[in-house]
Amino acid sequence: MNLINSVRFSRLRAEAHYQFLLVFINLVDTFHAVRDLVAILIDRFRELLAREEFAIDFERKSPITKKLGDADHRIDKALTGMRSIINANLYSSNTAEVDAAQVLEVRFHTFGNIRQKPYEEESTAVQILVRELQQKYVQEVVTLGLVNWLNELGSAEQLFTQLFVERNAELANRPKESLREIRREIEDVYSKMIALVEADAIAHGNVNSSDFILQLNGQVKYFNEHEAHNPTRKELGEHVSVAPVETQPYTGKAVNVIPEVHYVEEGKPAKELVFTVDFTLAYKDNVNPGTAEIVIHGKGGYKGQKVVTFNIARTTGLAPV
């Protein structure tokens, strides 16, 4: 008989995992009778919790992380400025400006809200967006006067990428401390503490244990419902419809194309999926002329993958850059 609800530890992100365990030990300290019950395990629990906090906090305190945040802020400002100009020109009295704004609005929408993405996904999305605006949507950029904004976005992204590499090198050189292993150990200690509390509540009907269990179950319910990964994910598989990708010119560099992806269910309207929100991309054989692959990986509310291809062709008179 389980009196205490199970925590979905595997679905908790690093911060939420730590926060729940911190709430738990603070609750234990509040109920002295419960603290006495689990006294033999408390020191080990606190040691592991401190190690988990250090592993999470290491990245926050890194000087490179501060610079990375500043570069990310520059990217956010540039994206906000560009979107503002695009939105304003949707109501322009100049037909050419309206047309250009409509084209770019659709393209920006494909990327979703870049500003809210994790660092690595944001960087990839911005790189692809900058490349597309510099190559495929030059006329629209010029028409809306976005050249300076685009240069700022590209410059901020280059700095961000450099700092991101430095930050990863810094993390690689730190003393090895497996967060996964720490989590496994502290979850084991937590389970043993819970077993002691439940045994006492069943054997003696301890009022203090019952009150503690009531409050702890409230916290478990909150973290399971509000802090866990989304457990309901749709399988991509045959439900994905991908618009054909046009043949791309050979440039000597990797060709990263973001295809239009829709999720199709029988009897329902097709839903356009958003890059970095609903799916991520990986590429294969996308440098030299020939057939390249795009691997679409489900993300967020979607799982599974879909592989599509496109061609890279050498254009007469076009030299690698």
Side-chain angles (χ1 to χ4, degrees):
M1 177 180 178
N2 293 327
L3 300 178
I4 299 177
N5 297 333
S6 298
V7 186
R8 299 169 184 165
F9 280 122
S10 63
R11 294 176 180 168
L12 294 181
R13 302 179 189 277
E15 291 278 357
H17 187 277
Y18 170 77
Q19 287 298 327
F20 171 78
L21 294 174
L22 183 62
V23 167
F24 167 72
I25 196 61
N26 287 339
L27 194 60
V28 168
D29 287 336
T30 301
F31 288 82
H32 294 177
V34 173
R35 186 178 61 191
D36 292 342
L37 278 174
V38 299
I40 192 172
L41 297 169
I42 282 184
D43 287 345
R44 178 59 176 164
F45 184 92
R46 293 190 192 280
E47 175 198 345
L48 290 167
L49 189 62
R51 286 166 56 191
E52 182 172 2
E53 180 186 22
F54 175 81
I56 295 172
D57 204 42
F58 179 88
E59 191 171 327
R60 293 200 212 109
K61 293 181 177 179
S62 164
I64 295 179
T65 298
K66 172 62 169 62
K67 295 178 182 179
L68 196 65
D70 292 341
D72 181 57
H73 183 59
R74 278 184 61 189
I75 291 175
D76 289 348
K77 286 179 62 178
L79 287 170
T80 300
M82 296 178 77
R83 283 185 178 274
S84 297
I85 293 173
I86 291 169
N87 291 337
N89 277 278
L90 290 172
Y91 305 97
S92 172
S93 59
N94 185 303
T95 303
E97 291 176 348
V98 173
D99 291 343
Q102 289 176 341
V103 169
L104 294 186
E105 180 193 32
V106 171
R107 205 64 197 122
F108 268 72
H109 176 73
T110 303
F111 288 84
N113 193 340
I114 297 177
R115 298 171 57 189
Q116 295 183 357
K117 306 299 175 288
Y119 276 170
E120 191 165 9
E121 293 179 11
E122 176 184 325
S123 180
T124 300
V126 172
Q127 287 178 32
I128 296 174
L129 176 60
V130 169
R131 186 179 302 114
E132 288 194 356
L133 294 177
Q134 289 174 338
Q135 297 177 1
K136 189 174 181 180
Y137 300 100
V138 175
Q139 185 58 54
E140 287 81 4
V141 168
V142 172
T143 299
L144 299 185
L146 293 173
V147 174
N148 289 337
W149 281 105
L150 180 56
N151 290 338
E152 166 61 12
L153 181 61
S155 175
E157 196 287 320
Q158 288 180 4
L159 175 60
F160 180 91
T161 299
Q162 174 188 338
L163 291 170
F164 191 80
V165 171
E166 291 178 8
R167 196 278 301 270
N168 286 342
E170 178 186 65
L171 293 176
N173 291 328
R174 71 176 177 175
K176 300 299 181 184
E177 181 71 76
S178 171
L179 183 58
R180 179 178 298 180
E181 181 64 21
I182 294 172
R183 286 180 59 151
R184 187 194 65 76
E185 289 186 47
I186 198 169
E187 287 167 18
D188 180 61
V189 176
Y190 170 84
S191 296
K192 292 176 180 176
M193 295 170 80
I194 292 303
L196 289 174
V197 175
E198 287 185 327
D200 178 73
I202 293 172
H204 305 107
N206 191 310
V207 174
N208 285 312
S209 294
S210 298
D211 289 343
F212 171 83
I213 290 172
L214 182 64
Q215 292 193 37
L216 179 58
N217 277 340
Q219 293 296 332
V220 170
K221 183 175 186 294
Y222 172 81
F223 277 83
N224 281 345
E225 292 181 355
H226 299 282
E227 300 293 343
H229 292 283
N230 182 3
T232 306
R233 306 179 69 197
K234 296 181 179 180
E235 182 71 45
L236 293 182
E238 297 179 355
H239 293 287
V240 171
S241 172
V242 184
V245 178
E246 297 178 355
T247 297
Q248 302 294 308
Y250 168 66
T251 65
K253 297 181 180 180
V255 179
N256 296 334
V257 181
I258 300 179
E260 293 182 11
V261 180
H262 289 80
Y263 186 82
V264 182
E265 290 183 284
E266 186 175 353
K268 297 182 180 180
K271 177 185 177 182
E272 182 178 0
L273 302 188
V274 178
F275 174 56
T276 75
V277 175
D278 302 315
F279 66 93
T280 59
L281 299 172
Y283 302 89
K284 183 179 179 182
D285 300 326
N286 62 327
V287 176
N288 297 317
T291 301
E293 287 187 359
I294 304 176
V295 184
I296 302 168
H297 295 278
K299 183 178 183 292
Y302 300 88
K303 62 182 179 179
Q305 67 179 43
K306 178 86 170 183
V307 179
V308 296
T309 61
F310 67 95
N311 292 322
I312 300 175
R314 191 184 299 274
T315 302
T316 303
L318 179 64
V321 293

